[in-house]
Amino acid sequence: MLQTDVLIVGGGPTGVTLALELAAHGIPFRIVDKELQRSDKSRALGVQPRTLELLNRHGDVRNLVSQGNLSSGTTFYLNGKKAADVDISGLAQDTAFPLILIISQVNTEEFLDECLAKHGFAVDRGLEAQSVVQDAEGATVKLSRPDGTEETIRAKYVVGADGAHSSVRRAATGLTFQGAAYPQDFILCDASIRNANVAWNRFSLCMGKGSLAVFPLKDGTCRVVASRMGPKANEDPKFEVFQSMLDQLYPDAGELYNPTWITRFHLHHRGVNSYRDGRLFVAGDAAHIHSPAGAQGMNTGIQDSVNLGWKLAKVIRGQRPASFLDSYDRERRPIGQHLLETSDKMFTWGCSSNPFFVAFRNLLFAWVLPWFVSSRNRRVNIYKFISEFGISYKDSDVVATARGFSGSVVGGDRVPDKMIRAAGKEKHFLELITPETYHLVLFAGVGATAATKGDLLEAQSQFENHNLDRAKVHTILGESGDADGVSGYTDVGNHLHKEFGISEPSYVYIRPDGYVEHIGFLKDLKELLEWLE
């Protein structure tokens, strides 16, 4: 019987991301998928800014960005007339990736596969999990190939990244998957478009009798997704239906031709009651499925895996107790539940099939939408949700903030990004925060209260006596000082200090997933040391 530490069932973006996290930590794993080859359909199109940041930890994500379109916002149309523009450009100043990437899932999966190949791994295809039986020490999984041959593998942990019909979730006796299907019928078409009058740097949401979304892709192609109303809603879609709906809801958008994918589908909203059942875990669509409103699904699955991967590594290495894995559910399930609730509300408003509600919505939106998006603060709030920069684990019991710390970033928050400089060369701060370990960042502070060389060296010495996580230590100096010759990176314009909301000497202990585990003033470093014990 073959053995491994972690068996990942499902080789989509969620599964491969988990494989990348485990590979970075040197944890033995195997990843399998029942499909013999990847789909050539575009499927999930939106890669959110936070996801781009996290994927950039494994490879130069700019290579992926260059293959797609960066969207700077959304244009709303009501009954064929432009109603409002939501511009997100310039809303994020603390990231190298402020815009949403619109790109085929084919390209996203190619990027992930290439990153995994650098570690010497690949998805083992044509293997379907037929049975999953767990006990106190692990799980035994029977796998089958299309030719009928079988093999059995024993793993300490099994992660189901195998979608809405997850075999791992079904094998977990403690998990439920409650929810329902939406009544609407949806049709989708990927096609080329000529005489186009669409903005290629944003997508369009069109509402009237029915709803329509247009997502510009590269090379003069686009995706059109529509919800249908009326007695013919359940018929298989014909190509001319898309042009008819486009003419009705988005006049002068252009002429569709050369379709490469036409399909119809129904949507569901469901979520599990726990992301863990003993030795079994679920992530991505195996844990939560919802409407595509907000383009959150694939991104949430990827970030599930980023959260889970390093925690599995710590437990497998004996550096954390098995109970530490419960924090995966405690941190990620609230994110999934909030997403289900929010996307459901967005979907109901945008795609209702009730003609009375639709008439009321269209009348209301004609007045409210222009007013709502005119406020920068309201656009920022929308952006924080859509971009997933607003995700925080500050309520988690495995993060903390030192007493008396008053910075704008607290334990559980995302680590912001700004430019730093060393030896005359500038780079992004997050380039230092690699996925294979923890990071301790010592901020020297700015102005008269900045730390001295002695202060920083003493802090490093104290920390090394407690550095069981083998964290990397980085020093960030203020623009105007060098802390009496301490080596480190200079905070260009002191902008990174400002993003953290600190001017006094401070420390930030950063998890492998790029979130703050502990933060405080340098004079209170003992609180971190006690935390580590």
Side-chain angles (χ1 to χ4, degrees), residues 57-321:
R57 296 151 59 249
H58 294 290
D60 190 348
V61 83
R62 291 172 296 184
N63 294 331
L64 179 63
V65 171
S66 67
Q67 299 175 60
N69 277 340
L70 287 172
S71 175
S72 60
T74 307
T75 301
F76 287 90
Y77 289 84
L78 288 174
N79 294 316
K81 296 181 179 180
K82 184 175 178 180
D85 269 321
V86 181
D87 187 4
I88 64 171
S89 58
L91 296 183
Q93 303 295 326
D94 63 345
T95 180
F97 307 102
L99 301 180
I100 303 167
L101 177 64
I102 305 298
I103 191 169
S104 168
Q105 187 174 324
V106 172
N107 300 105
T108 303
E109 290 175 341
E110 287 175 350
F111 173 80
L112 290 168
D113 285 345
E114 289 169 0
C115 291
L116 189 60
K118 294 176 183 177
H119 293 280
F121 297 101
V123 178
D124 195 347
R125 298 202 159 273
L127 279 170
E128 183 174 3
Q130 295 294 344
S131 67
V132 182
V133 180
Q134 67 167 318
D135 53 48
E137 303 300 323
T140 302
V141 183
K142 182 178 290 186
L143 303 170
S144 67
R145 294 189 182 275
D147 62 5
T149 58
E150 294 184 342
E151 64 177 270
T152 302
I153 186 167
R154 179 73 177 171
K156 294 176 181 176
Y157 298 98
V158 177
V159 181
D162 47 346
H165 304 289
S166 170
S167 58
V168 176
R169 187 190 64 242
R170 290 175 174 177
T173 57
L175 301 187
T176 61
F177 198 44
Q178 296 181 341
Y182 290 107
Q184 291 91 339
D185 177 83
F186 288 86
I187 56 175
L188 177 153
C189 175
D190 286 352
S192 299
I193 185 168
R194 55 190 164 213
N195 302 320
N197 192 32
V198 298
W200 292 96
N201 66 336
R202 61 184 55 219
F203 55 91
S204 302
L205 299 179
C206 314
M207 292 173 284
K209 186 180 179 181
S211 301
L212 182 87
V214 180
F215 301 89
L217 300 172
K218 273 233 170 175
D219 304 321
T221 61
C222 69
R223 169 179 292 181
V224 178
V225 182
S227 66
R228 296 185 293 180
M229 300 170 61
K232 296 183 179 181
N234 289 320
E235 292 182 358
D236 288 335
K238 297 180 179 179
F239 181 49
E240 54 266 27
V241 171
F242 293 94
Q243 186 66 56
S244 175
M245 294 193 70
L246 195 66
D247 292 341
Q248 175 191 344
L249 297 173
Y250 192 177
D252 302 322
E255 180 186 355
L256 298 173
Y257 70 102
N258 190 27
T260 57
W261 186 29
I262 295 177
T263 188
R264 62 179 284 252
F265 56 95
H266 283 86
L267 296 170
H268 298 253
H269 53 105
R270 300 181 187 275
V272 289
N273 59 322
S274 176
Y275 283 24
R276 180 188 188 189
D277 180 53
R279 295 276 174 164
L280 310 182
F281 297 83
V282 288
D285 286 354
H288 44 78
I289 54 173
H290 42 80
S291 86
Q296 302 290 289
M298 179 181 68
N299 297 273
T300 304
I302 287 172
Q303 294 181 43
D304 287 343
S305 291
V306 172
N307 185 281
L308 177 60
W310 69 275
K311 294 176 179 178
L312 283 168
K314 287 295 181 185
V315 171
I316 289 169
R317 285 178 173 168
Q319 297 171 336
R320 297 288 191 279

Side-chain angles (χ1 to χ4, degrees), residues 93 417-422 425-427 443 445-447 476-481 489-503:
Q93 303 295 326
D417 196 16
K418 279 292 184 181
M419 300 302 295
I420 55 177
R421 182 175 60 244
K425 296 183 179 180
E426 293 188 358
K427 65 191 299 184
F443 283 89
V446 296
I476 305 296
L477 308 173
E479 179 78 85
S480 58
Y489 294 89
T490 298
D491 180 6
V492 177
N494 295 328
H495 295 309
L496 191 59
H497 280 77
K498 293 174 185 175
E499 289 296 336
F500 277 93
I502 55 179
S503 59

